[in-house]
Amino acid sequence: MALKHEPTAPYHSTQDALRVLETVARHSTGVTDTEIARHTGLGTERLTTLLRMLRREGYVTQITDGTYVTGTALARLGAAEGREQALREQLQGTLDRLRDSVGAAVYLSRYVDGEVSVTQYADSPATPKVNEWVDFRSCAHATAIGKSLLGQLDHTGRRDHLHRHRMARLTSRTITSDKLLLSRLEAQPPTVPVLDLQEYAIGTVCAAVPLTAGSTAGCLALSLPVEHAHRLRRAADTLNRNAAPVLLSLAI
């Protein structure tokens, strides 16, 4: 199985953020934003946005003289011992902030060993997660998460998945034709969120954006009650614009 690598906005932001981090890490006593700009070639506005994000996520710290040094989050993720727990905690903090910024439950998913896996999520009493009434692993055809992950596979990978998982009708809106689903996946632009408009569960709408890290397909997703469906596309766009910190954590 191969992945279809089509860089999205979060990917480009992550690459720029890694260049900034590498520059800061090389200057253990601190480096100014002017020096960072010179080393990375990034414009002032772009660099300011990235530094704000890196400070918020704990990857860099601005000290009293105004220069930047590496932050505690980078040190924790760079340590050999306890890295897995540190990564999980870092991602959870990012997901919690995303949940609050989009006003919806947020999910991080990966496609691991041929199966859909929701690895972490952030919800709250005001933004409850989806009731998983059917195992997400068996209904990729009906969820925004599943369709986003399948969309990142090549044609053979998609066919293999659908061969192993029968496309059951979960609601009147569920696509059960593999031909129709494959056609829609092929036509889906990588920069446009994948939607689930009550295909998995009546009363819930969802959206997902791709988050490919290395050789593993991944995605960020959100869910809303159907009475908030008018917010779905705007929330999905916000999620997409703010996905870089998640991808950055996975890349470090």
Side-chain angles (χ1 to χ4, degrees), residues 182-218:
L182 290 169
S183 174
R184 290 193 178 179
L185 291 176
E186 191 63 38
Q188 175 75 28
T191 55
V192 177
V194 178
L195 304 181
D196 157 18
L197 304 177
Q198 302 188 85
E199 297 169 52
Y200 174 74
I202 295 298
T204 301
V205 294
C206 305
V209 295
L211 203 70
T212 303
S215 59
T216 303

Short mmCIF file of all heavy atoms in Angstrom, two decimals, residues 182-218:
data_model
loop_
_atom_site.label_atom_id
_atom_site.label_comp_id
_atom_site.label_asym_id
_atom_site.label_seq_id
_atom_site.Cartn_x
_atom_site.Cartn_y
_atom_site.Cartn_z
N LEU A 182 -15.42 5.27 -4.29
CA LEU A 182 -14.08 5.39 -4.88
C LEU A 182 -14.01 6.59 -5.82
O LEU A 182 -12.99 7.29 -5.88
CB LEU A 182 -13.71 4.10 -5.62
CG LEU A 182 -13.44 2.89 -4.72
CD1 LEU A 182 -13.36 1.61 -5.55
CD2 LEU A 182 -12.15 3.09 -3.92
N SER A 183 -15.09 6.82 -6.56
CA SER A 183 -15.13 7.97 -7.47
C SER A 183 -15.03 9.28 -6.69
O SER A 183 -14.31 10.20 -7.08
CB SER A 183 -16.42 7.92 -8.28
OG SER A 183 -16.56 9.09 -9.07
N ARG A 184 -15.76 9.36 -5.58
CA ARG A 184 -15.73 10.58 -4.78
C ARG A 184 -14.38 10.78 -4.09
O ARG A 184 -13.90 11.91 -3.97
CB ARG A 184 -16.86 10.54 -3.74
CG ARG A 184 -18.24 10.67 -4.38
CD ARG A 184 -19.31 10.94 -3.35
NE ARG A 184 -20.62 11.11 -3.98
CZ ARG A 184 -21.74 11.35 -3.31
NH1 ARG A 184 -21.71 11.45 -1.98
NH2 ARG A 184 -22.89 11.49 -3.96
N LEU A 185 -13.79 9.70 -3.64
CA LEU A 185 -12.47 9.81 -3.02
C LEU A 185 -11.43 10.29 -4.02
O LEU A 185 -10.55 11.10 -3.70
CB LEU A 185 -12.04 8.46 -2.43
CG LEU A 185 -12.83 7.96 -1.21
CD1 LEU A 185 -12.36 6.57 -0.82
CD2 LEU A 185 -12.69 8.93 -0.04
N GLU A 186 -11.52 9.78 -5.25
CA GLU A 186 -10.57 10.17 -6.30
C GLU A 186 -10.72 11.65 -6.64
O GLU A 186 -9.73 12.33 -6.94
CB GLU A 186 -10.82 9.32 -7.55
CG GLU A 186 -9.74 9.45 -8.60
CD GLU A 186 -8.38 8.95 -8.12
OE1 GLU A 186 -8.33 7.93 -7.39
OE2 GLU A 186 -7.36 9.60 -8.46
N ALA A 187 -11.95 12.17 -6.56
CA ALA A 187 -12.21 13.56 -6.95
C ALA A 187 -11.98 14.54 -5.79
O ALA A 187 -12.00 15.75 -6.01
CB ALA A 187 -13.64 13.68 -7.45
N GLN A 188 -11.75 14.04 -4.59
CA GLN A 188 -11.63 14.90 -3.42
C GLN A 188 -10.30 15.64 -3.41
O GLN A 188 -9.24 15.02 -3.33
CB GLN A 188 -11.74 14.05 -2.14
CG GLN A 188 -11.52 14.80 -0.85
CD GLN A 188 -12.69 15.67 -0.46
OE1 GLN A 188 -13.82 15.38 -0.81
NE2 GLN A 188 -12.43 16.73 0.30
N PRO A 189 -10.29 16.97 -3.48
CA PRO A 189 -9.03 17.73 -3.41
C PRO A 189 -8.42 17.60 -2.02
O PRO A 189 -9.16 17.62 -1.02
CB PRO A 189 -9.46 19.18 -3.68
CG PRO A 189 -10.83 19.08 -4.28
CD PRO A 189 -11.45 17.86 -3.68
N PRO A 190 -7.09 17.45 -1.90
CA PRO A 190 -6.47 17.24 -0.59
C PRO A 190 -6.62 18.43 0.35
O PRO A 190 -6.52 18.29 1.56
CB PRO A 190 -5.00 16.98 -0.92
CG PRO A 190 -4.80 17.59 -2.27
CD PRO A 190 -6.10 17.44 -2.99
N THR A 191 -6.86 19.63 -0.21
CA THR A 191 -6.96 20.83 0.63
C THR A 191 -8.38 21.11 1.10
O THR A 191 -8.61 22.04 1.87
CB THR A 191 -6.44 22.05 -0.15
OG1 THR A 191 -7.18 22.15 -1.39
CG2 THR A 191 -4.96 21.91 -0.45
N VAL A 192 -9.36 20.32 0.64
CA VAL A 192 -10.76 20.54 1.01
C VAL A 192 -11.18 19.51 2.06
O VAL A 192 -10.97 18.31 1.86
CB VAL A 192 -11.67 20.43 -0.23
CG1 VAL A 192 -13.14 20.57 0.16
CG2 VAL A 192 -11.29 21.47 -1.27
N PRO A 193 -11.76 19.95 3.20
CA PRO A 193 -12.17 18.99 4.23
C PRO A 193 -13.17 17.97 3.70
O PRO A 193 -14.03 18.27 2.87
CB PRO A 193 -12.83 19.89 5.28
CG PRO A 193 -12.21 21.24 5.08
CD PRO A 193 -11.99 21.34 3.60
N VAL A 194 -13.06 16.73 4.19
CA VAL A 194 -14.02 15.68 3.89
C VAL A 194 -15.17 15.79 4.88
O VAL A 194 -14.94 15.97 6.08
CB VAL A 194 -13.36 14.28 4.00
CG1 VAL A 194 -14.39 13.19 3.73
CG2 VAL A 194 -12.20 14.16 3.05
N LEU A 195 -16.39 15.68 4.39
CA LEU A 195 -17.55 15.85 5.25
C LEU A 195 -18.34 14.55 5.44
O LEU A 195 -18.32 13.68 4.58
CB LEU A 195 -18.50 16.91 4.66
CG LEU A 195 -17.91 18.29 4.38
CD1 LEU A 195 -18.99 19.21 3.82
CD2 LEU A 195 -17.27 18.89 5.62
N ASP A 196 -19.00 14.45 6.57
CA ASP A 196 -19.96 13.37 6.86
C ASP A 196 -21.23 14.07 7.33
O ASP A 196 -21.30 14.59 8.45
CB ASP A 196 -19.39 12.44 7.95
CG ASP A 196 -20.48 11.67 8.70
OD1 ASP A 196 -21.62 11.57 8.19
OD2 ASP A 196 -20.19 11.19 9.81
N LEU A 197 -22.23 14.11 6.47
CA LEU A 197 -23.48 14.79 6.77
C LEU A 197 -24.54 13.76 7.15
O LEU A 197 -25.33 13.32 6.33
CB LEU A 197 -23.93 15.63 5.56
CG LEU A 197 -22.89 16.65 5.07
CD1 LEU A 197 -23.38 17.37 3.83
CD2 LEU A 197 -22.54 17.65 6.18
N GLN A 198 -24.46 13.32 8.40
CA GLN A 198 -25.37 12.30 8.96
C GLN A 198 -25.28 10.97 8.22
O GLN A 198 -26.27 10.26 8.11
CB GLN A 198 -26.82 12.81 8.96
CG GLN A 198 -27.04 14.09 9.74
CD GLN A 198 -28.50 14.45 9.89
OE1 GLN A 198 -29.18 13.98 10.80
NE2 GLN A 198 -29.01 15.27 8.98
N GLU A 199 -24.09 10.64 7.73
CA GLU A 199 -23.88 9.34 7.07
C GLU A 199 -23.57 8.24 8.09
O GLU A 199 -23.89 7.08 7.86
CB GLU A 199 -22.74 9.46 6.06
CG GLU A 199 -23.03 10.43 4.91
CD GLU A 199 -21.78 10.71 4.09
OE1 GLU A 199 -21.14 9.74 3.65
OE2 GLU A 199 -21.45 11.90 3.90
N TYR A 200 -22.94 8.63 9.20
CA TYR A 200 -22.61 7.66 10.24
C TYR A 200 -23.72 7.57 11.29
O TYR A 200 -24.10 6.49 11.73
CB TYR A 200 -21.29 8.04 10.93
CG TYR A 200 -20.95 7.19 12.12
CD1 TYR A 200 -20.48 5.88 11.96
CD2 TYR A 200 -21.09 7.68 13.42
CE1 TYR A 200 -20.17 5.10 13.06
CE2 TYR A 200 -20.78 6.91 14.53
CZ TYR A 200 -20.32 5.61 14.34
OH TYR A 200 -20.01 4.83 15.43
N ALA A 201 -24.24 8.75 11.67
CA ALA A 201 -25.28 8.77 12.71
C ALA A 201 -26.23 9.94 12.47
O ALA A 201 -25.78 11.05 12.19
CB ALA A 201 -24.65 8.89 14.09
N ILE A 202 -27.51 9.69 12.57
CA ILE A 202 -28.50 10.75 12.46
C ILE A 202 -28.29 11.72 13.63
O ILE A 202 -28.14 11.30 14.78
CB ILE A 202 -29.93 10.18 12.50
CG1 ILE A 202 -30.17 9.30 11.26
CG2 ILE A 202 -30.96 11.30 12.55
CD1 ILE A 202 -30.08 10.04 9.94
N GLY A 203 -28.27 13.00 13.31
CA GLY A 203 -28.11 14.00 14.35
C GLY A 203 -26.70 14.51 14.52
O GLY A 203 -26.45 15.40 15.35
N THR A 204 -25.74 13.96 13.74
CA THR A 204 -24.33 14.36 13.87
C THR A 204 -23.73 14.63 12.50
O THR A 204 -23.95 13.86 11.55
CB THR A 204 -23.50 13.26 14.56
OG1 THR A 204 -24.05 13.02 15.86
CG2 THR A 204 -22.05 13.69 14.72
N VAL A 205 -22.97 15.73 12.40
CA VAL A 205 -22.20 16.02 11.18
C VAL A 205 -20.73 16.12 11.57
O VAL A 205 -20.40 16.52 12.69
CB VAL A 205 -22.67 17.32 10.50
CG1 VAL A 205 -24.09 17.18 9.98
CG2 VAL A 205 -22.57 18.53 11.44
N CYS A 206 -19.86 15.75 10.64
CA CYS A 206 -18.43 15.71 10.93
C CYS A 206 -17.63 16.23 9.74
O CYS A 206 -18.13 16.28 8.61
CB CYS A 206 -17.98 14.28 11.24
SG CYS A 206 -18.90 13.45 12.56
N ALA A 207 -16.39 16.60 10.01
CA ALA A 207 -15.46 17.01 8.96
C ALA A 207 -14.07 16.54 9.33
O ALA A 207 -13.75 16.42 10.52
CB ALA A 207 -15.49 18.52 8.78
N ALA A 208 -13.23 16.25 8.33
CA ALA A 208 -11.87 15.79 8.59
C ALA A 208 -10.91 16.40 7.58
O ALA A 208 -11.27 16.61 6.42
CB ALA A 208 -11.80 14.26 8.53
N VAL A 209 -9.69 16.67 8.04
CA VAL A 209 -8.63 17.20 7.17
C VAL A 209 -7.43 16.27 7.25
O VAL A 209 -7.14 15.72 8.32
CB VAL A 209 -8.24 18.63 7.57
CG1 VAL A 209 -9.42 19.58 7.36
CG2 VAL A 209 -7.76 18.72 9.01
N PRO A 210 -6.73 16.03 6.14
CA PRO A 210 -5.61 15.09 6.14
C PRO A 210 -4.43 15.59 6.97
O PRO A 210 -4.19 16.78 7.09
CB PRO A 210 -5.24 15.00 4.65
CG PRO A 210 -5.70 16.28 4.06
CD PRO A 210 -6.95 16.64 4.83
N LEU A 211 -3.70 14.63 7.53
CA LEU A 211 -2.55 14.94 8.37
C LEU A 211 -1.52 13.82 8.18
O LEU A 211 -1.32 13.00 9.07
CB LEU A 211 -2.99 15.03 9.84
CG LEU A 211 -2.12 15.82 10.78
CD1 LEU A 211 -2.20 17.31 10.47
CD2 LEU A 211 -2.56 15.59 12.22
N THR A 212 -0.92 13.78 7.02
CA THR A 212 0.02 12.71 6.71
C THR A 212 1.38 12.98 7.33
O THR A 212 1.98 14.02 7.08
CB THR A 212 0.19 12.55 5.18
OG1 THR A 212 -1.10 12.30 4.61
CG2 THR A 212 1.11 11.39 4.85
N ALA A 213 1.83 12.08 8.18
CA ALA A 213 3.14 12.20 8.82
C ALA A 213 3.97 10.98 8.47
O ALA A 213 3.65 9.86 8.87
CB ALA A 213 2.97 12.32 10.33
N GLY A 214 5.02 11.18 7.69
CA GLY A 214 5.86 10.07 7.28
C GLY A 214 5.10 9.12 6.37
O GLY A 214 4.45 9.55 5.42
N SER A 215 5.12 7.85 6.69
CA SER A 215 4.50 6.84 5.83
C SER A 215 3.12 6.43 6.33
O SER A 215 2.54 5.47 5.84
CB SER A 215 5.39 5.60 5.75
OG SER A 215 5.59 5.06 7.05
N THR A 216 2.59 7.15 7.32
CA THR A 216 1.29 6.81 7.89
C THR A 216 0.26 7.88 7.59
O THR A 216 0.50 9.06 7.84
CB THR A 216 1.40 6.64 9.42
OG1 THR A 216 2.37 5.65 9.72
CG2 THR A 216 0.07 6.21 10.02
N ALA A 217 -0.88 7.48 7.05
CA ALA A 217 -1.97 8.42 6.82
C ALA A 217 -2.59 8.80 8.16
O ALA A 217 -2.75 7.96 9.04
CB ALA A 217 -3.01 7.80 5.90
N GLY A 218 -2.94 10.06 8.29
CA GLY A 218 -3.59 10.52 9.50
C GLY A 218 -4.57 11.64 9.18
O GLY A 218 -4.60 12.15 8.06
#
